[in-house]
Amino acid sequence: MTGSTKQYEFKAEIKQLLNILVHSLYTNKEIFLRELISNASDALDKLRFESTRGTEIENKNLPLEINLAFDKEKNTLTISDTGIGMTKDELIKNIGTIAKSGSEEFIKKLNENKQDASNIIGKFGVGFYSVFMVADKVSIRTKSFKADEKPVKWTSDGLGSYEIVELDEKLDRGTIIEVHLKEDEKEFSDKWKLEQIVKKHSNFINFPIKIENEQINKVTALWREPKSNIKKEQYDEFYKFLSYDNEPPLDYIHLSIDAPIQFHSLMFLPKKNFDLFGMNRDNYGLDLYVRRVLIQHQNKDLLPEYLSFVKGVVDSEDLPLNISRETLQENVVFNKISSSITSQVLTFLTKMAEKEKEKFTEFWKEHGKVFKLGYSDYANKDKYLELLRFNSSVSADEKELVSFADYSGRMKKEQKEIYYKMGPSREAIDQDPHLEIFKSKGLEVFYLYDPIDEFALSSMMKYKDFDLRSVDQADLATLEKFESAEETKDKKEELNKDDKKHLDSLFSKMKEILGDKVTEVKISKRLKGSPACLVNPNTGMSASMQKIMNIVNKDTSIPAHVLELNEDHKLIRNLLKVFKQNANDEYISNVTEQLYESSLLMEGYLADPHKLVNRINQMLTESSDWYTTMKKI
Ligand code: ADP
Ligand code: MG
């Protein structure tokens, strides 16, 4: 006798997902078994967790294991576990109805990348459905570990709906999944094939996986083995198992710490950054074990977010087994482990940066973007700063990486500040007029291309005793004191007293022309090759930071700047000549507006180029007249 059968529709996203899985041809279908085994293993982990907390459990003495059975005749494969099981409500919730954001993201990713679904399905929390790559019918019989819950059966052909019925028959705690294989997927009811798949994908599962009572996997906690016993291949294999990555890791960190707290940890640095598309964001964190019992999958607090690219496990001797996940963060032992591994990861990276430069460059290229979020880790500030890398004015190209140590090692003796400039590209920063004085004085400048770099530098403020300073906030008097680099020491013609006075009047005239758009027009000490530049008068923020703040505040107004002019530049000298002859010459206002708008353009503020382009065209036309006359054309 069984209860009445009820039919349910799959959620729309899941239908879409199933449709893709059922109808597409995938090369790597065998991973469905990895997914079912990993679900069984999760269910066993959860049971062990409950049991260590002292929860009442049905069939307490059942061994914790996974069994595979097959029937060639019926063309079926059965995966059973003695895990936590599911109640009827849980079954409906976990498999079928509740929209999991995972399925939506998975489909999006699949459409974007056109890659093999079987390679990524496990990462999105929709692994169960992969069974429909090989099955035309699946049934789940499951009995919750809670004594008063009835066993239930779920059946579906994976097309649009599923059925659920409560069973009156007795069922041991756990879950039995019967997979009816499609005609052309018969190979999955073959013992040898199954063994091979288990060894390849599920070798490190923490519970015995048995076929016909014979254990297939190893069940070793690799992280607890002495390092000398482990071959590189085993580390690689474990990493792939843990991360679903196809490639071996860039490197690994294996720790066995005895004092002051005892724990084991095995951590990996992936070759690739998995979060390239900003999706899959929660897929990080270390697995936390207490004496081999999994307490939490992907714990987010063991390592700070800026090290979230690290994959791996931590196994503690000293945490209580019955600790709740909610109170972990307040636990003293947990926090000690956390700060210990954080510091160990940083030390490891420091050594890599010293001894394996190329590897470190590879690391930086993939994970640097995330790593840069660490600027607020004050506890590890010193180590952290040494690991940061930027491009600089001294670099040969935009790829070269420079550390603070490189910079400070070659800076000028009297130099007390480290300079940086933010910009969209190396060329853009190179041509920036603000940099001219730094070039002429031979001062190195960090080139920043990512807004996060500037946030990081401006909030860290110092490297050792050196202040970190944006180029446009540097004190000109300080810069002036540095001796000029040899090749830029040029003799310029000094203006006489009379001309100096005229120049002052010219500048007043220009201020008049520009009105409120500028706060002041004055002689520049920073310009060497360019005629003009705009300078931020309020010194609290660098220009690029100010721009970011304006975007954040949706402020599109242009802040009034100081217009600085290069008195030695030919254009300014000629302008002075014109001015002396006729202070109201139209040419002066044209040039003034043009210099102002060109500088605005350089600073990234000019929204509408029409006036500027018209003016240039008019000036070009005039100069073409002079040119043809002069050349007698
Ligand atoms: P994920 O494992 O990432 O959560 P799946 O699609 O593989 O996604 O599984 C969905 C959910 O179904 C699981 O989270 C779990 O709650 C439940 N489940 C699947 N298989 C089992 C099982 N063998 N025992 C208990 N619960 C299971
Ligand atoms: Mg799963």
Side-chain angles (χ1 to χ4, degrees):
M1 259 277 293
T2 50
S4 62
T5 305
K6 233 180 126 180
Q7 191 164 346
Y8 300 79
E9 285 286 303
F10 282 116
K11 273 292 254 206
E13 297 89 37
I14 295 177
K15 269 192 206 175
Q16 203 185 343
L17 172 74
L18 284 167
N19 197 33
I20 295 174
L21 291 172
V22 171
H23 295 294
S24 310
L25 285 174
Y26 294 119
T27 50
N28 202 16
K29 292 184 181 182
E30 65 185 34
I31 61 90
F32 85 90
L33 191 58
R34 175 188 72 191
E35 295 303 324
L36 296 185
I37 289 176
S38 115
N39 285 349
S41 166
D42 290 349
L44 288 160
D45 271 324
K46 286 177 196 161
L47 186 92
R48 188 149 69 177
F49 182 72
E50 290 298 338
S51 131
T52 54
R53 288 159 57 119
T55 315
E56 186 99 19
I57 280 166
E58 179 142 270
N59 306 117
K60 194 150 175 80
N61 297 324
L62 276 182
L64 301 185
E65 62 185 31
I66 300 165
N67 275 285
L68 304 187
F70 51 89
D71 187 328
K72 268 196 160 55
E73 225 107 285
K74 287 199 207 142
N75 202 17
T76 60
L77 165 65
T78 307
I79 298 104
S80 42
D81 65 71
T82 49
I84 200 163
M86 282 178 272
T87 66
K88 183 175 165 189
D89 288 346
E90 284 165 347
L91 193 51
I92 295 172
K93 192 176 124 208
N94 296 339
I95 301 179
T97 41
I98 293 280
K100 284 204 182 174
S101 62
S103 56
E104 232 172 298
E105 281 186 8
F106 173 73
I107 291 167
K108 234 160 86 190
K109 181 106 174 173
L110 206 56
N111 288 338
E112 258 172 38
N113 283 17
K114 299 273 171 261
Q115 58 173 309
D116 199 331
S118 52
N119 287 335
I120 55 171
I121 189 162
K123 291 182 191 165
F124 287 86
V126 290
F128 171 77
Y129 304 101
S130 65
V131 69
F132 289 103
M133 294 193 290
V134 299
D136 49 27
K137 192 177 160 204
V138 175
S139 78
I140 306 174
R141 282 179 298 148
T142 181
K143 166 71 186 83
S144 164
F145 73 106
K146 295 170 193 156
D148 48 1
E149 291 287 348
K150 277 196 165 178
V152 264
K153 182 175 177 182
W154 178 104
T155 335
S156 177
D157 55 11
L159 294 178
S161 62
Y162 60 95
E163 283 176 359
I164 290 195
V165 59
E166 271 183 10
L167 299 174
D168 279 336
E169 69 194 59
K170 189 165 156 19
L171 201 65
D172 277 340
R173 178 200 75 219
T175 303
I176 304 165
I177 300 183
E178 191 180 84
V179 180
H180 189 267
L181 296 163
K182 292 179 186 170
E183 256 325 287
D184 43 1
E185 309 294 349
K186 281 204 164 92
E187 56 171 342
F188 297 114
S189 64
D190 179 80
K191 185 177 178 207
W192 184 83
K193 178 78 184 173
L194 292 172
E195 271 187 37
Q196 207 196 6
I197 303 173
V198 169
K199 287 217 169 91
K200 182 162 164 205
H201 296 292
S202 308
N203 215 11
F204 290 99
I205 289 286
N206 241 326
F207 303 92
I209 304 170
K210 294 179 174 172
I211 302 181
E212 292 178 334
N213 275 327
E214 186 192 329
Q215 184 171 328
I216 307 301
N217 61 330
K218 282 195 213 132
V219 196
T220 48
L222 197 67
W223 56 89
R224 285 177 165 262
E225 302 277 303
K227 281 180 233 182
S228 53
N229 282 5
I230 310 176
K231 295 193 195 76
K232 182 177 176 299
E233 294 77 56
Q234 284 171 287
Y235 282 122
D236 289 355
E237 195 192 343
F238 182 66
Y239 166 74
K240 288 181 187 171
F241 164 77
L242 198 76
S243 65
Y244 288 166
D245 200 349
N246 303 322
E247 275 188 288
L250 184 67
D251 216 331
Y252 63 88
I253 309 168
H254 191 170
L255 305 171
S256 288
I257 307 285
D258 283 327
I261 25 164
Q262 215 183 339
F263 68 90
H264 304 267
S265 174
L266 182 50
M267 293 180 280
F268 298 92
L269 305 178
K271 271 204 181 122
K272 290 266 160 0
N273 166 20
F274 292 117
D275 190 33
L276 274 183
F277 303 94
M279 286 192 272
N280 207 8
R281 217 169 243 157
D282 281 340
N283 185 20
Y284 72 93
L286 303 178
D287 291 346
L288 176 64
Y289 288 78
V290 173
R291 294 188 282 285
R292 290 170 201 261
V293 176
L294 181 68
I295 299 294
Q296 195 179 18
H297 179 54
Q298 297 194 326
N299 177 290
K300 308 274 188 277
D301 302 309
L302 277 163
L303 285 176
E305 203 184 350
Y306 74 96
L307 298 178
S308 60
F309 49 82
V310 177
K311 308 261 170 202
V313 302
V314 172
D315 191 350
S316 158
E317 291 295 312
D318 301 327
L319 279 170
L321 259 174
N322 60 354
I323 191 164
S324 83
R325 291 166 201 173
E326 292 71 33
T327 57
L328 268 178
Q329 259 178 292
E330 290 144 34
N331 185 285
V332 182
V333 173
F334 179 86
N335 285 314
K336 279 193 179 149
I337 295 175
S338 162
S339 58
S340 168
I341 55 172
T342 303
S343 141
Q344 295 271 5
V345 170
L346 294 175
T347 305
F348 182 85
L349 289 171
T350 307
K351 281 194 195 133
M352 186 195 279
E354 280 162 13
K355 301 205 171 93
E356 297 175 283
K357 267 204 150 122
E358 247 166 69
K359 200 187 253 184
F360 186 80
T361 305
E362 225 180 297
F363 156 78
W364 187 260
K365 210 178 80 211
E366 284 298 321
H367 306 298
K369 216 175 161 66
V370 175
F371 189 81
K372 284 188 274 190
L373 296 170
Y375 58 85
S376 52
D377 184 359
Y378 296 107
N380 294 295
K381 191 173 172 200
D382 291 346
K383 271 187 198 166
Y384 175 79
L385 279 171
E386 298 295 354
L387 289 166
L388 285 177
R389 295 292 181 274
F390 305 99
N391 199 219
S392 103
S393 52
V394 170
S395 307
D397 58 33
E398 77 283 352
K399 291 217 176 71
E400 199 177 310
L401 297 174
V402 177
S403 67
F404 279 116
D406 296 335
Y407 185 115
S408 62
R410 61 194 175 214
M411 68 201 267
K412 290 184 182 270
K413 249 197 258 139
E414 327 82 90
Q415 194 178 338
K416 298 212 162 31
E417 297 175 314
I418 290 176
Y419 301 106
Y420 60 87
K421 172 76 185 150
M422 165 87 202
S425 68
R426 187 170 176 85
E427 291 78 42
I429 302 177
D430 250 342
Q431 316 235 329
D432 193 298
H434 293 277
L435 249 78
E436 288 172 6
I437 184 160
F438 292 87
K439 284 185 194 151
S440 78
K441 299 289 184 185
L443 294 166
E444 179 166 9
V445 174
F446 277 134
Y447 285 7
L448 317 182
Y449 309 126
D450 185 351
I452 180 76
D453 293 340
E454 189 167 20
F455 271 117
L457 292 191
S458 59
S459 68
M460 287 181 306
M461 308 216 299
K462 262 180 186 297
Y463 167 73
K464 294 191 171 160
D465 286 333
F466 308 118
D467 288 324
L468 309 179
R469 183 131 3 259
S470 168
V471 153
D472 40 327
Q473 288 179 291
D475 175 40
L476 279 175
T478 310
L479 297 180
E480 278 288 291
K481 283 187 206 135
F482 291 109
E483 198 162 331
S484 291
E486 222 40 66
E487 65 270 27
T488 55
K489 257 189 203 160
D490 51 353
K491 320 161 240 48
K492 49 201 171 193
E493 239 180 88
E494 286 290 320
L495 289 172
N496 63 34
K497 243 188 166 173
D498 193 39
D499 277 346
K500 276 221 179 321
K501 251 199 237 149
H502 285 299
L503 194 70
D504 279 347
S505 318
L506 169 62
F507 284 8
S508 309
K509 173 83 190 172
M510 292 170 87
K511 163 73 179 108
E512 207 177 288
I513 293 166
L514 294 172
D516 289 342
K517 289 188 278 189
V518 295
T519 55
E520 196 184 347
V521 176
K522 68 173 195 188
I523 291 178
S524 180
K525 299 237 187 290
R526 72 186 87 222
L527 294 175
K528 301 295 161 189
S530 304
C533 74
L534 285 171
V535 179
N536 222 347
N538 47 352
T539 49
M541 244 186 249
S542 77
S544 48
M545 201 67 138
Q546 167 118 49
K547 223 167 294 157
I548 292 169
M549 293 315 291
N550 284 0
I551 292 168
V552 171
N553 299 328
K554 297 201 167 70
D555 179 358
T556 52
S557 64
I558 302 168
H561 287 87
V562 177
L563 179 65
E564 288 193 0
L565 298 169
N566 180 354
E567 62 169 326
D568 301 322
H569 197 278
K570 188 155 186 193
L571 176 59
I572 305 300
R573 293 286 169 108
N574 282 339
L575 212 55
L576 185 59
K577 284 185 198 161
V578 176
F579 181 75
K580 281 192 329 198
Q581 174 127 119
N582 173 10
N584 294 317
D585 196 313
E586 200 193 353
Y587 187 70
I588 295 172
S589 59
N590 273 339
V591 169
T592 304
E593 294 279 5
Q594 186 59 42
L595 284 175
Y596 170 72
E597 285 195 358
S598 305
S599 305
L600 267 192
L601 186 63
M602 295 280 260
E603 297 289 317
Y605 278 113
L606 193 73
D608 182 3
H610 283 92
K611 267 164 74 183
L612 173 131
V613 171
N614 282 339
R615 199 180 310 103
I616 289 181
N617 287 343
Q618 184 203 329
M619 287 176 149
L620 283 174
T621 310
E622 283 167 16
S623 72
S624 69
D625 272 341
W626 301 324
Y627 192 75
T628 45
T629 314
M630 190 181 80
K631 291 257 166 163
K632 304 194 174 69
I633 295 169

